[in-house]
Amino acid sequence: RILYLRLKNFKFPKSRLQLKRIKNFQIIDDSYNSNPSSLVHALEAFKKYTTVGKKVLVLGDMLELGKYQDNFHREVAKDIILAGINILITVGEASSLTAQTLRNLGFKDRKIHICQDIKDAQSRLLDLLKEDDVVLLKGSRKMHLEKIIEGI
């Protein structure tokens, strides 16, 4: 019972799976850091999240992965499909590889938005979001995805 009470009152640290309600939609801010494992776990949690709106993933590059960085970005495309993501917005060069792989797997072009910077991603996100949509922000710390929230 004590463990339950502790978990019930647990608050995730800043930018780690923090649920925020902004206007008529929700954002899950997991922008503190990203690697293949943490991205897959975030997608698994996002899959279980119920909404009547769309599920939007804003994916920033996973950095500092060495020579396998490109492969890791391609491999997560299948996990994005399995998570039931409706729209993908990418920020950065490496995450655009994820978008290309999704296209190759049959994800529709109109559901993929490749952005070069935060301002572009923020603008596209605002254009796309409707009431009851939910957004997951996930990327390496150096991508500064939290700035998307600050500008909304």
Side-chain angles (χ1 to χ4, degrees):
R1 176 147 170 89
I2 292 172
L3 179 59
Y4 170 77
L5 292 174
R6 285 184 183 167
L7 288 174
K8 182 180 174 188
N9 296 319
F10 179 79
K11 293 192 192 291
F12 284 97
K14 185 177 180 187
S15 297
R16 291 185 176 144
L17 284 178
Q18 285 189 326
L19 182 62
K20 300 175 182 190
R21 186 150 193 85
I22 300 175
K23 298 183 182 178
N24 292 330
F25 46 88
Q26 297 177 63
I27 296 180
I28 301 171
D29 180 6
D30 198 18
S31 63
Y32 183 77
N33 206 353
S34 189
N35 60 56
S37 179
S38 70
L39 175 56
V40 168
H41 288 295
L43 288 169
E44 287 172 357
F46 198 35
K47 179 181 180 177
K48 295 174 185 172
Y49 192 87
T50 57
T51 181
V52 295
K54 298 181 300 292
K55 288 186 178 183
V56 180
L57 172 62
V58 178
L59 179 66
D61 291 352
M62 296 181 285
L63 302 173
E64 301 173 5
L65 296 176
K67 65 182 181 179
Y68 298 108
Q69 178 171 304
D70 290 355
N71 289 340
F72 286 134
H73 281 87
R74 288 184 186 101
E75 289 173 6
V76 298
K78 291 177 185 170
D79 296 299
I80 290 170
I81 291 171
L82 292 174
I85 302 300
N86 302 109
I87 295 174
L88 173 69
I89 298 173
T90 66
V91 182
E93 274 186 54
S95 60
S96 69
L97 296 172
T98 306
Q100 292 169 7
T101 304
L102 278 172
R103 277 191 186 114
N104 294 341
L105 293 172
F107 208 78
K108 301 212 182 310
D109 272 349
R110 63 183 164 77
K111 296 183 175 193
I112 298 171
H113 304 270
I114 299 173
C115 302
Q116 297 306 310
D117 58 40
I118 294 297
K119 286 189 185 270
D120 184 20
Q122 182 184 69
S123 175
R124 291 200 197 198
L125 185 62
L126 286 171
D127 288 343
L128 293 166
L129 285 179
K130 304 286 186 235
E131 188 173 341
D132 296 322
D133 289 348
V134 62
V135 178
L136 172 62
L137 297 176
K138 188 69 176 163
S140 283
R141 184 77 206 105
K142 290 180 183 178
M143 298 305 296
H144 301 287
L145 294 183
E146 75 281 355
K147 291 183 179 181
I148 291 173
I149 298 171
E150 294 168 8
I152 294 178

